[in-house]
Amino acid sequence: MKAGIAAVLLSLASAAQAQVCDRDAAPCSIDSGTYHVALPATPEGDLPAVLFLHGAGGTGRGVLGMTGTIKALTDRGYAVIAPDGLPWRPGRSGGIWSFLPAIQRDKARDEPAFFAAVVADAATRYDVDPDRVALAGFSAGAFMVNYLACDTPEAFAAYAPVAGGFWRPHPENCAGPVRLLHTHGWTDGTVPLEGRPLRNGAWLQGDIFEGLGLWRAANGCTSPAPSGHRTTDDFMRRYWTCADGSALELALFPGGHGMPAGWADMMVDWFEGLPES
């Protein structure tokens, strides 16, 4: 009898594992889109998570292909949720995010609602704790992170964009205090720190430092000077401590347009060290 029960439990565990929509499986599907997920080797209830947004033309499956970053996060006990953007261009694979309707034209989606639905679905399927989810993203995904954080800073526990900020014209202001870690390559030529024009000037990437000014204002900082500096491996970091519960930090690394080694551990250390909001 005991052997029979053990076999049933093993079968159920195998079936549950098979249902995980990881990189090698079909994506999880909800009404407004799809996503993939990577889980810790031994997941426990109420998992913290990073909802990570791919760059232009990317996919959630591609995000999970960043094996070094993903393993570092799951080794720390985090689920990584990787949603899919909307189809980008006719005849091209991958997706994009609806952070600028003027660019997206007929491809706009209510992304905050989509991300909230993804988190709710992952909470049901995988015991993700919706109150401990950081929204991160790379390049176009990072632009999406910035716009969502600006409009609805309370939507996620924290924000961690990499290699993306705002487009010109910058927002006039942001809604309120935010907890945000911006990471950027010193020699990034795709999204330079100062921004650049695209499509013969039709679109203009914004200035990362001007964006930091918006965040300082939203966080009630009375001085543009940072509260302090620190160094983690290759990351040169400067931070502003202003409104209660807020956090703002810039981490520069000596590289170009890519996900830097060590980002995951640095981000998790920052996230777990945040003050109570």
Side-chain angles (χ1 to χ4, degrees):
M1 178 66 73
K2 289 183 178 179
I5 293 174
V8 170
L9 291 176
L10 180 61
S11 176
L12 290 173
S14 298
Q17 184 66 27
Q19 293 171 6
V20 175
C21 46
D22 58 17
R23 188 168 190 263
D24 297 322
C28 293
S29 181
I30 60 175
D31 288 344
S32 47
T34 55
Y35 71 93
H36 286 271
V37 65
L39 299 175
T42 54
E44 298 179 359
D46 295 329
L47 287 174
V50 176
L51 185 73
F52 196 99
L53 309 182
H54 60 71
T59 63
R61 183 178 185 276
V63 166
L64 297 192
M66 302 187 305
T67 54
T69 297
I70 302 307
K71 185 178 186 302
L73 291 169
T74 56
D75 282 353
R76 296 286 295 266
Y78 282 69
V80 181
I81 306 167
D84 292 305
L86 291 171
W88 190 23
R89 295 176 183 170
R92 296 188 62 173
S93 62
I96 193 66
W97 308 105
S98 304
F99 53 85
L100 285 181
I103 293 176
Q104 294 306 110
R105 297 183 177 88
D106 60 341
K107 296 185 177 65
R109 172 173 63 186
D110 186 341
E111 302 291 31
F114 170 53
F115 300 147
V118 167
V119 170
D121 191 71
T124 299
R125 292 179 192 248
Y126 306 117
D127 289 332
V128 164
D129 183 350
D131 294 325
R132 291 194 295 160
V133 181
L135 180 65
F138 171 71
S139 194
F143 282 101
M144 181 72 250
V145 171
N146 274 274
Y147 279 98
L148 193 148
C150 185
D151 291 339
T152 55
E154 72 287 349
F156 287 87
Y159 299 89
V162 181
F166 293 110
W167 290 75
R168 294 187 181 278
H170 294 80
E172 292 185 6
N173 52 63
C174 290
V178 73
R179 296 138 69 91
L180 185 142
L181 168 65
H182 182 102
T183 306
H184 217 101
W186 183 251
T187 60
D188 192 330
T190 302
V191 183
L193 286 162
E194 299 78 11
R196 69 182 177 110
L198 281 77
R199 298 285 181 90
N200 296 318
W203 306 335
L204 296 171
Q205 292 174 353
D207 187 300
I208 298 302
F209 297 103
E210 188 170 340
L212 286 168
L214 284 168
W215 295 127
R216 288 195 298 269
N219 282 6
C221 299
T222 58
S223 171
S227 305
H229 311 80
R230 49 190 163 214
T231 302
T232 302
D233 298 326
D234 286 339
F235 295 101
M236 298 180 64
R237 305 165 63 179
R238 51 204 298 132
Y239 60 90
W240 292 261
T241 304
C242 303
D244 289 346
S246 70
L248 177 61
E249 185 158 339
L250 170 67
L252 296 175
F253 64 93
H257 194 67
M259 285 297 298
W263 173 84
D265 280 316
M266 178 187 69
M267 190 281 295
V268 169
D269 288 342
W270 170 81
F271 183 46
E272 294 182 349
L274 288 173
E276 292 185 7
S277 56

